[in-house]
Amino acid sequence: DVSTMIRCGQKTIIFLINNGGYTIEVEIHDGPYNVIKNWNYTAFVEAIHNGEGKCWTAKVRCEEELVKAINTATNEEKESFCFIEVIVHKDDTSKELLEWGSRVSAANSRPPNPQ
């Protein structure tokens, strides 16, 4: 879809929140399958872009960089497809999500209900 958005000249801002893994899956059931190869998503979008159309990407790691990227996307690059990858800590999640993961884990560990 990113390729089509760029090709069709959409002036969209996409934020990809990258925590480097599956935090909620770890909370439900931890295992080595939750360790994933972290991609360079901005480079992937640049490869799709390949110099055709208007595309701007940024990778941000702190609030100051995010504010700057949003400012750029809504001003100088407002005529472009904008892709902002936001790097967050792998455990950056809400307490509600962690609690939900614990409840799902408990439900998943029950023996099957005989029919």
Side-chain angles (χ1 to χ4, degrees):
D1 289 343
V2 168
S3 176
T4 302
M5 291 172 161
I6 294 170
R7 183 173 43 84
C8 292
Q10 284 198 351
K11 299 169 184 130
T12 301
I13 302 172
I14 292 181
F15 294 90
L16 182 133
I17 310 303
N18 182 351
N19 69 350
Y22 298 122
T23 302
I24 190 58
E25 295 295 332
V26 169
E27 293 303 318
I28 294 170
H29 191 264
D30 198 7
Y33 41 80
N34 287 324
V35 178
I36 62 168
K37 173 70 176 135
N38 199 17
W39 293 356
N40 183 342
Y41 294 97
T42 53
F44 186 64
V45 171
E46 287 292 338
I48 292 169
H49 170 234
N50 197 24
E52 296 180 22
K54 293 184 177 183
C55 177
W56 178 80
T57 64
K59 187 177 295 198
V60 301
R61 291 177 173 79
C62 65
E63 183 179 354
E64 181 180 281
E65 291 175 352
L66 179 59
V67 168
K68 184 177 177 185
I70 291 170
N71 186 49
T72 299
T74 56
N75 289 295
E76 301 97 284
E77 297 294 339
K78 68 181 177 185
E79 298 299 318
S80 302
F81 172 85
C82 297
F83 182 90
I84 301 171
E85 180 178 1
V86 182
I87 308 296
V88 299
H89 189 274
K90 69 182 183 89
D91 295 325
D92 186 1
T93 188
S94 68
K95 70 179 179 84
E96 292 81 9
L97 189 58
L98 293 176
E99 290 168 0
W100 179 81
S102 295
R103 287 194 305 271
V104 171
S105 176
N108 284 349
S109 62
R110 292 186 313 223
N113 189 4
Q115 299 295 325

